[in-house]
Amino acid sequence: MSIKSFGAKVFASIIHKKTQKWLKNPVETQAKVLADLIEQAKHTAFGQDHAFNVIVDAKSFAQQVPIRDYEGLKPYVDRVVKGEEDVLWKGKPLYFAKTSGTTSGAKYIPLTKESMPYHIEAARNAILAYVHETGIADFVDGKMIFLQGSPILEQKNGINLGRLSGIVAHYVPAYLQKNRLPSWETNCIEDWETKVDAIVEETVQEDMTVISGIPSWVQMYFERLKAREGKGVGAIFKKFNLFIYGGVNYEPYRAKFEQLIGRKVPSIELFPASEGFFAYQDSQTEKGLLLLLNAGIFYEFIKVEEFFAANPRRYTIGEVELGVNYVLIISTNAGLWGYNIGDTVQFVSLKPHRIVVSGRIKHFISAFGEHVIGKEVETALQQAMEGTGVQVNEFTVAPQITPADGLPYHEWFIEFGQAPEDMEAFALRIDEALRKQNVYYDDLIVGKVLRTLVIRSVEKDGFQAYMKSIGKLGGQNKLPRLSNDRSIADQLKIEE
């Protein structure tokens, strides 16, 4: 055992004990977080506009601070972007994380000196939780890579601006610098395909033990490694024994990854975003991600079916229930207040509070009243693939409301790594799994409002071509699992 791996085990034990303190007192921990947030921001423009001086608990907070998305908060953000101080949070932010917007174009998410450390600590603690539970730490002696955006930062009125993953690259601890790949020069390459090729060249002869990134883009890296060397990733990197990922559900990719690697590799799931680092997988045996209740973020939860009501109830951590689909609302030490990040979650454990990400509030199919969500289509596909040898590279789902003949249906666009022998039978397996999860969808099938879903095979690299066409190839960009329109579906090239 090396000194570094021994030190990792000692540090993991220390962090585990600290985690247990807040983990066992969730309600008190969140109450303290809210009180601290209000105290630090009560003299800001936002705090004065929303009478922070009268807020004493979650109930009064909900009365004073309405739910907003980025568009709702944008007038305040614009003032911060122009250089004004003490608007959403005291002083000025350290950075703006630039993300893709919707109606407003680019979004500028503030990162402050108070919020930034939590992004770094959460990623570190996820790895330490794995070390503590498994006793495995030898991977710290090998090379590690995170497929991320460019660390080159711009300036916006004296504040650094960049992608979150690029900003985080500036905070790699000194003890990991010698182990970290790719090189700074390669990481700064903007074109994603050129960057992946450069990463392959830099890493192919290295002793890689940890690889991390969004599964769809790591898959691209793995495919190019295998094409170059003519053998599996596990044979190229014999000591590769930990995959860290976030952004999308790994399960639809798992079979393809195991085929590319040539063996199973343990994994850790993270739930980071520009707005905050919310949760990470703290156990290899328990389902779900540990919700970080002491990380400068106050959480509220709104039931999905109540979200679009005039005044939906906002639940706190002590009021949530298992298996309910909630819209995640956050207030943070970066100055986001009553902020809807767009993600939906379900609790799979309350002691401790563990969640799974169930989808996006804007990403669903309800063209016929079925309200199918991301988690349901991912689970249905995963269950249909079990024991079949089918491999899926990528997929998305859209409604077909006006077919040339017959009843409407859900249209599944799938790029297969290994296609099923009987496509209709495979479609039926997915359909049956989806009907078991969603009673509304089942009712529509039984009532002959919809017919069984239809699969369209997307040509090889078709989804990459689509993402490139909209300027979102690589980095932290993710393909929506499902849409309530055909904006994506109609741009995909289908195999004949």
Side-chain angles (χ1 to χ4, degrees):
M1 181 186 299
S2 69
I3 293 175
K4 187 180 284 189
S5 60
F6 176 75
K9 290 185 178 183
V10 172
F11 195 21
S13 179
I14 293 171
I15 295 301
H16 176 75
K17 290 177 182 177
K18 288 184 177 180
T19 300
Q20 295 304 303
K21 289 182 180 179
W22 62 258
L23 180 151
K24 293 177 180 178
N25 298 284
V27 175
E28 295 86 346
T29 298
Q30 277 284 276
K32 184 178 179 181
V33 168
L34 177 60
D36 183 60
L37 293 175
I38 296 302
E39 177 62 28
Q40 294 199 61
K42 66 183 180 182
H43 297 301
T44 63
F46 189 94
Q48 292 175 354
D49 289 348
H50 295 80
F52 274 21
N53 60 305
V54 305
I55 295 176
V56 294
D57 55 17
K59 183 178 180 180
S60 54
F61 176 77
Q63 291 171 343
Q64 296 298 325
V65 180
I67 300 299
R68 291 178 170 94
D69 58 12
Y70 186 81
E71 302 305 317
L73 204 63
K74 190 173 183 294
Y76 289 98
V77 175
D78 286 346
R79 291 167 61 181
V80 181
V81 171
K82 290 176 181 177
E84 189 176 338
E85 296 186 7
D86 301 322
V87 178
L88 287 164
W89 190 254
K90 57 188 181 182
K92 290 184 178 182
L94 290 178
Y95 304 95
F96 289 119
K98 186 178 181 180
T99 69
S100 301
T102 50
T103 58
S104 63
K107 298 195 295 185
Y108 298 96
I109 306 299
L111 296 165
T112 65
K113 67 178 181 180
E114 288 80 15
S115 70
M116 196 65 221
Y118 287 110
H119 285 271
I120 311 306
E121 289 176 11
R124 178 201 70 190
N125 291 353
I127 298 174
L128 292 174
Y130 175 82
V131 171
H132 179 80
E133 183 185 43
T134 65
I136 299 170
D138 55 346
F139 60 83
V140 302
D141 296 313
K143 296 289 186 178
M144 306 179 186
I145 187 173
F146 180 66
L147 295 180
Q148 58 190 179
S150 171
I152 296 175
L153 304 179
E154 305 171 34
Q155 286 270 317
K156 194 83 171 176
N157 294 319
I159 299 173
N160 285 318
L161 165 70
R163 300 288 180 181
L164 175 65
S165 61
I167 292 170
V168 169
H170 291 262
Y171 286 82
V172 176
Y175 59 85
L176 289 181
Q177 286 289 2
K178 290 183 179 180
N179 299 62
R180 173 194 178 211
L181 287 170
S183 66
W184 186 267
E185 292 74 21
T186 295
N187 219 12
C188 290
I189 297 173
E190 289 290 345
D191 180 76
W192 185 252
E193 292 178 289
T194 303
K195 182 173 184 171
V196 171
D197 286 337
I199 292 173
V200 168
E201 293 303 317
E202 274 195 2
T203 58
V204 70
Q205 300 300 328
E206 295 289 348
D207 182 23
M208 301 298 298
T209 57
V210 179
I211 298 172
S212 58
I214 291 177
S216 51
W217 306 127
V218 174
Q219 179 178 309
M220 183 178 178
Y221 167 58
F222 284 175
E223 287 172 340
R224 297 196 180 189
L225 275 169
K226 189 172 183 179
R228 184 189 188 282
E229 295 296 293
K231 55 185 176 182
V233 174
I236 299 170
F237 304 135
K238 294 182 173 60
K239 295 182 181 178
F240 169 41
N241 56 15
L242 186 59
F243 174 50
I244 304 173
Y245 69 95
V248 298
N249 185 0
Y250 179 44
E251 292 309 316
Y253 299 93
R254 188 178 293 276
K256 178 67 174 179
F257 266 60
E258 290 177 0
Q259 181 262 325
L260 287 169
I261 298 167
R263 54 183 166 83
K264 294 184 177 181
V265 171
S267 60
I268 303 174
E269 182 177 2
L270 311 178
F271 184 13
S274 298
E275 296 86 352
F277 203 123
F278 307 123
Y280 60 70
Q281 181 181 348
D282 67 321
S283 174
Q284 293 291 302
T285 58
E286 300 295 330
K287 184 180 179 183
L289 311 180
L290 181 68
L291 188 64
L292 304 181
L293 302 178
N294 72 329
I297 302 171
F298 175 67
Y299 300 97
E300 296 173 282
F301 308 89
I302 299 176
K303 293 180 179 180
V304 166
E305 62 268 25
E306 299 173 1
F307 181 72
F308 294 105
N311 188 29
R313 180 178 171 183
R314 293 152 70 166
Y315 297 84
T316 58
I317 197 65
E319 300 171 312
V320 295
E321 303 172 68
L322 293 174
V324 175
N325 206 28
Y326 293 103
V327 179
L328 183 64
I329 307 297
I330 61 169
S331 297
T332 78
N333 55 7
L336 302 177
W337 301 102
Y339 189 86
N340 170 25
I341 65 169
D343 287 310
T344 60
V345 301
Q346 292 179 3
F347 284 89
V348 294
S349 168
L350 300 181
K351 291 182 179 180
H353 285 86
R354 292 196 180 100
I355 60 171
V356 294
V357 180
S358 54
R360 299 277 294 170
I361 191 63
K362 292 182 179 179
H363 293 169
F364 59 89
I365 297 180
S366 198
F368 310 94
E370 64 273 40
H371 208 90
V372 171
I373 62 174
K375 181 177 179 292
E376 291 169 345
V377 297
E378 289 176 337
T379 299
L381 179 60
Q382 178 189 343
Q383 291 176 353
M385 290 167 61
E386 289 175 359
T388 65
V390 173
Q391 295 173 5
V392 170
N393 293 344
E394 191 59 276
F395 78 98
T396 193
V397 187
Q400 177 51 270
I401 300 173
T402 55
D405 56 80
L407 294 172
Y409 53 87
H410 283 190
E411 196 165 13
W412 286 58
F413 296 84
I414 304 178
E415 181 184 329
F416 290 101
Q418 179 63 50
E421 294 181 3
D422 187 332
M423 193 69 75
E424 288 188 9
F426 187 66
L428 188 59
R429 283 171 66 102
I430 299 174
D431 210 65
E432 289 173 346
L434 186 57
R435 289 173 64 181
K436 289 178 181 178
Q437 294 179 84
N438 188 305
V439 65
Y440 305 108
Y441 180 72
D442 182 59
D443 286 345
L444 291 169
I445 297 290
V446 172
K448 299 191 182 306
V449 176
L450 294 178
R451 63 183 171 102
T452 300
L453 64 87
V454 174
I455 296 175
R456 308 292 184 199
S457 293
V458 176
E459 65 180 25
K460 183 173 172 23
D461 299 329
F463 285 104
Q464 288 183 21
Y466 165 73
M467 294 295 279
K468 188 174 184 177
S469 74
I470 62 172
K472 292 187 176 183
L473 181 66
Q476 303 305 103
N477 297 307
K478 296 162 285 189
L479 177 78
R481 280 286 173 251
L482 66 181
S483 308
N484 206 36
D485 57 37
R486 298 187 60 80
S487 56
I488 297 174
D490 290 342
Q491 296 187 58
L492 295 171
K493 294 182 179 179
I494 309 303
E495 291 182 349
E496 298 297 332

